[in-house]
């Protein structure tokens, strides 16, 4: 499936392809993309299958699978955009998909950057303990309710924006009303079947976070105290499998590191350092 996308910038550097997280959409990267275009990159922001303006796949039938669907879609879209290897960066589900593309389509990637990827949540036991996956069932029900009732962007944004982070600050106060409304639009377009597939084993079948990748690899993980899904216990096995990878923690930042101004600065700092070190 070719994915809906925006392509911005005219720089001579390698194409940077950005992948959002589960239930998100490509608008989440607007501020990051602006910065990277200013750095001289061309940037593609993609809507994954079932998200934003991309096509839907189905429910509980293997049509929302990391390897067979998400990674394959991204690979097909990359081939439609460029003949050169890309720098692929993804948040959450997008980060896991980034790893999967590196494993299955190594010729397409020059480097891999992952933001707090739930790489080890392929087991039911791990998902049952996950701070993110724990609310998926209720979230799916709420999204279906909004969609069935024809809720407005403003109505959804009011609910999403009022959610507090661990500091007690409302999400809207942390990232702004415009960003919250982009999230709301995405939720009204989102296929909840994609999240249902993440609750069971459908999405994870065939994905191994320890499978080798040949491209340079970096993980920016969230703070465990703020709801990280790439946790401290993941670091040692990940580095044992990927000994040349870089792993750093964004202190004080939750799962969606790039959303807040402080987290965005940390994302850009580590991304620029990582890319500057590529051969």
């Amino acid at each position: 499936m070719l994915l809906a996308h925006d392509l911005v910038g005219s720089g001579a550097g390698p194409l940077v392809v950005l992948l959002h997280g589960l239930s998100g959409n490509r608008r989440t990267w607007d501020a990051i993309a602006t910065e990277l275009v200013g750095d001289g990159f061309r940037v593609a922001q993609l809507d994954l299958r079932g998200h934003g303006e991309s096509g839907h796949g189905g429910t509980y039938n293997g049509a929302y699978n990391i390897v067979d669907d998400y990674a394959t879609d991204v690979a097909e879209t990359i081939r439609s955009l460029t003949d050169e290897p890309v720098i692929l960066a993804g948040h959450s589900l997008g980060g896991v998909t980034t790893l999967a593309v590196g494993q299955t389509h190594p010729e397409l990637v020059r480097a891999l950057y992952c933001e707090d990827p739930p790489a080890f949540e392929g087991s039911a036991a791990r998902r049952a303990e996950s701070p993110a996956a724990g609310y998926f069932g209720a979230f799916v029900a709420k999204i279906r309710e909004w969609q069935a009732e024809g809720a407005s962007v403003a109505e959804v944004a009011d609910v999403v924006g009022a959610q507090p982070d661990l500091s007690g600050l409302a999400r809207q106060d942390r990232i702004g009303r415009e960003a919250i409304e982009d999230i709301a639009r995405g939720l009204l377009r989102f296929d909840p079947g994609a999240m249902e597939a993440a609750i069971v084993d459908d999405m994870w079948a065939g994905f191994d976070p320890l499978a080798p990748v040949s491209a340079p690899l970096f993980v920016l993980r969230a703070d465990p105290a703020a709801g990280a899904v790439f946790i401290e216990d993941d670091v040692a096995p990940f580095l044992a499998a990927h000994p040349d990878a870089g792993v750093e923690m964004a202190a004080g930042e939750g799962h969606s590191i790039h959303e807040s101004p402080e987290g965005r600065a940390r994302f850009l700092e580590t991304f620029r350092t990582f890319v500057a070190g590529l051969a």
Side-chain angles (χ1 to χ4, degrees):
M1 178 188 296
L2 282 175
L3 301 173
H5 63 274
D6 293 325
L7 183 61
V8 293
S10 57
L15 178 66
V16 177
V17 177
L18 300 173
L19 308 179
H20 60 77
L22 186 64
S23 82
N25 67 90
R26 67 188 191 266
R27 295 275 68 80
T28 190
W29 294 115
D30 284 352
I32 294 288
T34 298
E35 291 282 344
L36 295 181
V37 168
D39 289 345
F41 291 103
R42 291 181 302 130
V43 179
Q45 301 163 240
L46 275 55
D47 281 336
L48 295 173
R49 176 184 297 230
H51 299 71
E53 296 176 335
S54 288
H56 291 188
T59 310
Y60 291 109
N61 60 2
Y64 287 113
N65 176 272
I66 292 168
V67 176
D68 295 335
D69 298 299
Y70 290 123
T72 299
D73 291 345
V74 171
E76 182 179 353
T77 305
I78 289 172
R79 290 191 184 99
S80 76
L81 294 173
T82 181
D83 295 327
E84 300 293 330
V86 305
I87 297 171
L88 186 60
H91 166 240
S92 194
L93 170 61
V96 178
T97 302
T98 291
L99 280 172
V101 174
Q103 293 167 357
T104 57
H105 303 277
E107 75 284 357
L108 297 181
V109 293
R110 180 177 178 184
L112 308 169
Y113 180 105
C114 304
E115 177 190 346
D116 206 40
F120 291 85
E121 296 199 8
S123 73
R126 175 66 180 268
R127 291 196 301 277
E129 298 175 354
S130 169
Y135 73 91
F136 279 2
F139 196 34
V140 165
K142 189 62 179 177
I143 293 169
R144 290 196 183 280
E145 177 185 320
W146 281 330
Q147 292 176 347
E149 294 177 349
S152 68
V153 168
E155 289 169 334
V156 175
D158 287 344
V159 175
V160 174
Q163 295 173 338
D165 61 16
L166 292 183
S167 71
L169 191 66
R171 194 176 185 189
Q172 179 170 304
D173 293 338
R174 189 161 172 79
I175 69 174
R177 179 69 179 189
E178 184 176 353
I180 290 294
E181 290 185 352
D182 283 337
I183 292 169
R185 290 186 188 92
L187 292 174
L188 291 172
R189 293 172 177 158
F190 174 56
D191 183 355
M195 190 168 281
E196 289 170 333
I199 295 172
V200 293
D201 292 332
D202 291 24
M203 192 178 86
W204 303 96
F207 175 72
D208 177 4
L210 305 182
V213 295
S214 56
L217 172 61
F218 183 89
V219 173
L220 180 64
R221 63 189 185 97
D223 192 326
V229 297
F230 190 97
I231 62 175
E232 183 67 34
D233 288 348
D234 298 336
V235 176
F238 190 81
L239 289 177
H242 310 290
D244 296 326
V247 178
E248 294 184 20
M249 184 183 74
E253 295 297 330
H255 178 55
S256 299
I257 299 167
H258 72 276
E259 278 192 349
S260 73
E262 300 84 1
R264 189 178 309 128
R266 183 68 170 141
F267 180 103
L268 288 165
E269 175 192 9
T270 54
F271 182 87
R272 285 164 173 155
T273 300
F274 173 57
V275 171
L278 298 177

